Amino acid sequence: MAKITTKQIQQINKACSNGWQLDTQYFLFHNEKTLIKCIKLDEEHYLQFSLNYNYKKQILLYISKFYHKQGEQFGSTSGLGKSKILVEKQAKRKTINELILLTRGLDNTKLMKINEDTPVSNGGGLFLQSEDF
């Protein structure tokens, strides 16, 4: 099982810019460090942006739209969302430091522009396609 200390989490979060932070839940389940940021759209909807590596060791931004009913503990999402490769070049290693460096240029305005320009993943007909967001 993955282990990380509170001090390590705080160091990573402090090094990130523009409100990005370590996705501790993802790390504990998958033993892989990824960064996450949420942007609230209205009282019940928000976009969740995840910054991680794909299977080719390219840096990927994954976008999901969540519905979170007031008074409920958890939000829900459906479909595959959107994904965009931010760094085409294959990394030698998957390092959190490269993701942290990218957060400097990924503020809310830039993220919303990427979301607007990125089509919803279609899933090849095997999975439910998200409605456009």
Side-chain angles (χ1 to χ4, degrees), residues 35 51 53 59 91 93 95-103:
L35 300 178
L51 196 56
Y53 290 89
I59 297 177
R93 293 183 60 203
T95 66
I96 190 70
N97 292 332
E98 293 300 317
L99 301 179
I100 290 170
L101 287 174
L102 277 177
T103 65

Side-chain angles (χ1 to χ4, degrees), residues 3 5 15 18 33 41 60 65 67 71 100 103 108 111-112:
K3 292 184 181 182
T5 66
N18 294 309
K33 293 178 183 169
L41 299 175
L60 179 76
K65 183 177 181 181
Y67 169 70
I100 290 170
T103 65
N108 288 9
L111 290 170
M112 292 305 284

Side-chain angles (χ1 to χ4, degrees), residues 33-114:
K33 293 178 183 169
T34 64
L35 300 178
I36 193 169
K37 178 179 173 76
C38 295
I39 298 177
K40 194 171 187 175
L41 299 175
D42 58 39
E43 291 300 316
E44 293 186 333
H45 297 92
Y46 64 92
L47 294 180
Q48 178 178 288
F49 297 85
S50 300
L51 196 56
N52 53 22
Y53 290 89
N54 65 11
Y55 69 97
K56 292 182 181 179
K57 295 184 185 174
Q58 298 166 310
I59 297 177
L60 179 76
L61 180 68
Y62 182 74
I63 309 166
S64 295
K65 183 177 181 181
F66 279 81
Y67 169 70
H68 184 204
K69 185 176 179 181
Q70 290 183 344
E72 298 283 324
Q73 188 170 3
F74 299 103
S76 63
T77 187
S78 62
L80 293 175
K82 301 177 179 182
S83 62
K84 178 168 179 64
I85 295 174
L86 296 181
V87 179
E88 295 273 343
K89 184 180 176 189
Q90 275 189 312
K92 292 180 183 175
R93 293 183 60 203
K94 296 179 180 182
T95 66
I96 190 70
N97 292 332
E98 293 300 317
L99 301 179
I100 290 170
L101 287 174
L102 277 177
T103 65
R104 293 179 185 167
L106 294 174
D107 60 9
N108 288 9
T109 304
K110 177 76 173 175
L111 290 170
M112 292 305 284
K113 177 69 174 148
I114 291 170

